[in-house]
Amino acid sequence: MEAVAGLKPEKSGAVASRLAVAQGVFYVGTGVWPLVHLRSFEAVTGPKREGWLVKTVGALIAVVGGTLLSAGLRRRVGPELMLLAAGSAASLAAVDLRYSPQRISPVYLLDAFAEGVLLTGWCVAAASLWKRRSAPVPPPRYTSPEDAAGFPT
């Protein structure tokens, strides 16, 4: 957590803001879709046993997307939001990859690819932010062995 604490929550860079907007739009769209028209969602992604569960997950994804979109448009993408965005992308990609070959539609492999692109983008944005962080104050330099030992001069 020390790495996250070293990042400043001020205005975010262009990369993080644009990425938050892109992921926000993607998540709002894909999250709201099953809420608005479950039948067309199932036509693309395959039949689902529990419609209520699909709608619950969709609602949660839409909320994450709305939060990302709002922060990105305001250029206020802090470390916590970056962690939420990257964690969401990683979690959804992991589920897509784990279950797509056997239990769910192969169309989820396309989603896994999109989530991987988002996750890569967040790694780049975090590295960029990390490089821009404030440098720590260097320790005092000693000019003689007596100074280093703490002897008064």
Side-chain angles (χ1 to χ4, degrees), residues 35-53:
L35 299 173
V36 173
H37 201 266
L38 184 59
R39 188 173 294 151
S40 67
F41 182 81
E42 288 181 318
V44 173
T45 63
K48 308 290 186 272
R49 285 188 183 165
E50 304 285 347
W52 69 269
L53 184 57

Side-chain angles (χ1 to χ4, degrees), residues 23-113:
Q23 186 171 355
V25 168
F26 180 57
Y27 277 19
V28 167
T30 57
V32 169
W33 184 14
L35 299 173
V36 173
H37 201 266
L38 184 59
R39 188 173 294 151
S40 67
F41 182 81
E42 288 181 318
V44 173
T45 63
K48 308 290 186 272
R49 285 188 183 165
E50 304 285 347
W52 69 269
L53 184 57
V54 174
K55 291 179 180 184
T56 301
V57 172
L60 291 171
I61 290 171
V63 168
V64 171
T67 304
L68 290 169
L69 184 58
S70 173
L73 291 173
R74 292 177 36 235
R75 294 184 57 105
R76 296 281 185 192
V77 182
E80 298 86 358
L81 198 79
M82 293 173 76
L83 184 60
L84 174 68
S88 297
S91 298
L92 292 171
V95 170
D96 290 341
L97 292 172
R98 169 65 177 93
Y99 293 105
S100 188
Q102 317 88 308
R103 299 183 70 182
I104 59 177
S105 170
V107 76
Y108 284 98
L109 291 176
L110 291 174
D111 184 63
F113 177 77

Side-chain angles (χ1 to χ4, degrees), residues 12-27 65 68-69 71-73 77 81-82 85-86 89 114-126:
S12 56
V15 172
S17 294
R18 287 184 187 133
L19 191 56
V21 168
Q23 186 171 355
V25 168
F26 180 57
Y27 277 19
L68 290 169
L69 184 58
L73 291 173
V77 182
L81 198 79
M82 293 173 76
E115 303 296 348
V117 169
L118 291 168
L119 185 56
T120 302
W122 285 115
C123 290
V124 169

